[in-house]
Amino acid sequence: MAPTNGSTVVTESWDIVDFVIHKGHGVKGLSEKGLKSLPKQFHQPLEERFSEKRILDQSPEVAKFICDAAENWGFFQIVNHGVALEVLERVKEATHRFFALPAEEKRKYSKENSPTKNVRYGSSFAPHVERALEWKDFLSLFYVSEEETSAFWPLVCKDEMLEYMRSSEVFIKRLMHVLVKGLNVKRIDEIREPMLLGSRRVNLNYYPMCPNPELTVGVGRHSDISTFTILLQDDIGGLHVRKDNGTGWIHAAPISGSLIINIGDALQIMSNGRNKSIEHCVIANGSQNRISVPLFVNPKPEAILCPFPEVLANGEKPLYKPVLYADYSRHFYTKAHDGKKTIDFAKISDI
């Protein structure tokens, strides 16, 4: 039977999928049923579960390492970024407002019901192919035009998300120029700009309290496929970053007013591996609800990704073949999170 207001037991597999995914209640709705234990559909394989023993101590040297340049680590936090703190607070408030909507209102933006493929509400990452579901609900907003945004983005968060994207524009371009200058690329021309800054997507993520956080994950191990990602998170914490592709993880603890930047696969390809996209995950929380809002700065779908000639000018061999970004993105979204394996799609096979 599907859960009712007083129910704490859900036994059938299709009940969970139907309630969370198809009826649009999400894991937020499931969490609010007062479950005493986590349904088995969310039990991650042992090797994917998160253990406190795998978190590395954050010595001053490690903290500096995390905040170092993209070339050295690929994950860092920025303060004094030029985006008003009031804008960031309004984004967080709007995120909570959207997920506080009744399930029938959120379901209007599900894959089956959304009036546009560029607005999508859902749970987990790829439920149709995952071995275990992730403990997360999300609203994904792909920016196409002011007209589509005005017509189709949810009213409870539309203005705040647009304000955030506009307020970030100068910061995005400044950051991009710093990154490419480090690759000996002197300027971003009309051909390269679509490769680097061609499209934007903002996600609203909601991670409700979980009855057994040790058995599941909020988001599984992965690297982003963006050029780079700008992450706004609340003060709860839960984002962890893999150190040097090893077994240990570092908690990217929230810093008030900061934005987290992480390099994506697209820039790793364009830099021929000099800048590295970093594997990261989000743990589930047993005592608090958490939100985060990543802004993905992506190539245009029709952009061809390949190493910059300037990077190869000294005779360095290309590690990646030219790939259409739309094909790369499609490959990413048709499988479950699997660490850094997506980048293999672009690797030259004999490397």
Side-chain angles (χ1 to χ4, degrees), residues 42-61:
F42 294 91
H43 290 202
Q44 296 288 327
L46 286 173
E47 65 273 15
E48 298 297 335
R49 296 180 190 177
F50 204 85
S51 169
E52 296 291 330
K53 296 178 181 179
R54 298 169 66 184
I55 301 177
L56 301 176
D57 291 334
Q58 295 194 44
S59 66
E61 292 78 14

Side-chain angles (χ1 to χ4, degrees), residues 44 48-50 133-135 213 215-220 282-284:
Q44 296 288 327
E48 298 297 335
R49 296 180 190 177
F50 204 85
L133 298 174
E134 297 176 347
W135 193 256
L215 299 180
T216 192
V217 293
V219 175
V282 176
I283 65 171

Side-chain angles (χ1 to χ4, degrees), residues 101-115:
L101 290 174
E104 57 268 22
E105 287 296 314
K106 290 181 288 190
R107 194 165 61 245
K108 292 178 181 178
Y109 304 100
S110 67
K111 181 178 181 180
E112 296 77 16
N113 301 319
S114 180

